[in-house]
Amino acid sequence: MSEERASFGSKLGIIMATAGSAVGLGNIWRFPYMTGKNGGAAFILIYIVCVIVLGIPCMISEFIIGRHGAANTARAYTRLSNGTIWKLVGYLEVLTGFLITGYYAVISGWCLNYVYASVMGELNGDPAFVKNYFVEFSQDPIRPVFWTIAIFAITHFIIIHGVRNGIEKASKLMMPTLFVLLLVIVVAAWMLPGASKGIDFLLKPDFSKVNSDVFLGALGQCFYSLSIGMGCLCTYASYFSRHTNITTSAIQIGFVDLMVALLAGLMIFPAAFSVGINPDSGPSLIFITLPNVFNQAFSGAPLLGWAVSLMFYALLFLAALTSLISLHEVNTAFFYEELHISRKAGAWIVTVFCCIIGALCSISIGHKSGLSLFGLDLLDLFDFVTGQLMLPVVGFFMCLFVGWYIPKQIVIDELTNWGTLKFSFYKLFIFVMRFVCPLCILAIMLHQFGVI
């Protein structure tokens, strides 16, 4: 059965839902890790420039495709391309989002487990205990799968209630809660002895560490943290009204995403420096390093340490969930519109098949699972294929599609809301999409494979 296309009910709903799509685990752990590795504030300044030059124009492009196409990502590209080969970019976006949904839920499930573990006091112990807890949990054949299915169940419940009553309502609740939790933990971290060293490191630039790797790292962080190329922004834009100013919305969402990343830095650096830990431990930061940070930093007040740890993992869970909702919606919209079935049926297809992908990815981490391809477990393989291959390729061709193929008048109409907005920066926007963004994304791809 077909259903009337939904839409967001308010401007706040648009900002909260789309910002929730962009804000994810990459903001909370990867941004501080990249900042610590690449010169503190120097990296932040470069990142801000990348958001303005690359991130916001790419976001606007996805909004143009999504709102004008007024359909799921694949159909939106098909409509704007008049059925030419360019439509394959839309299908590739959907496929990318589908694969990311499956393995991203595994990490999201870990966050949900750590909320439970914090409540139950299971993370209290010395560094060896905390590390052993994570290793045993991640390699367990049952527990991670359970939490993967659990977070899919929460996501599924929100998705089946539609855009306004599900995604928008949930985002209006979760995103403010996420900010409140961030601010509370930031204040707690700043009160620790020696926290000022972490703040100084974050806010005082060290330009001696700046090189081409730092620039390309900032470009890559910007590209991934804003959810460009996954179909999320394009799908959400299809629910925008004709009165939504897509340029202003992109700037506001980019600002929210940046604020979350900066607050994460202001939360993690003071706490880490207070106990003599440099937060550059990569993916293990949130599951091994930080529990030890909380245990040491609040050793004199264990109840406060317990509360901060709980709030931190609740924060991670909310960040993961908002992104997972948007990824799920990309595929739900695709299935129920293309197969002409109900929204609930489309959501069930995504939930069931992505649960299977998530379960296989989770099981593959175990040393004795035997589930691996090309020398990688399935979780790392999915991360590599989507993150280093599919996302940059989709982003590259999306830029070319908007910059060179879409008729000029369509772009102008979308940027000006069909002439109701007098200010237009069409020439600058098209120049960026034709030359600047494709070259930046190409540089990211070549850098990832050691070519430059």
Side-chain angles (χ1 to χ4, degrees), residues 76-116:
Y77 271 89
T78 300
R79 286 177 175 175
L80 282 168
S81 68
N82 295 315
T84 63
I85 195 171
W86 284 104
K87 69 181 181 181
L88 296 180
V89 180
Y91 283 94
L92 186 58
E93 276 206 43
V94 174
L95 177 60
T96 303
F98 186 80
L99 297 178
I100 293 175
T101 305
Y103 85 82
Y104 189 80
V106 177
I107 313 300
S108 304
W110 292 356
C111 297
L112 184 54
N113 169 76
Y114 268 64
V115 172
Y116 171 79

Side-chain angles (χ1 to χ4, degrees), residues 35-45 201-206 209:
T35 301
K37 182 182 177 182
N38 294 297
F43 176 82
I44 293 175
L45 293 174
F201 178 82
L202 186 69
L203 300 181
K204 291 183 178 179
D206 180 4
K209 289 187 176 181

Side-chain angles (χ1 to χ4, degrees), residues 33 84 104 159 171 189 236 252 289 338 363 415 438:
Y33 159 65
T84 63
Y104 189 80
I159 290 292
S171 299
Y236 275 9
Q252 291 170 335
T289 307
E338 297 305 308
I363 294 171
L415 291 175

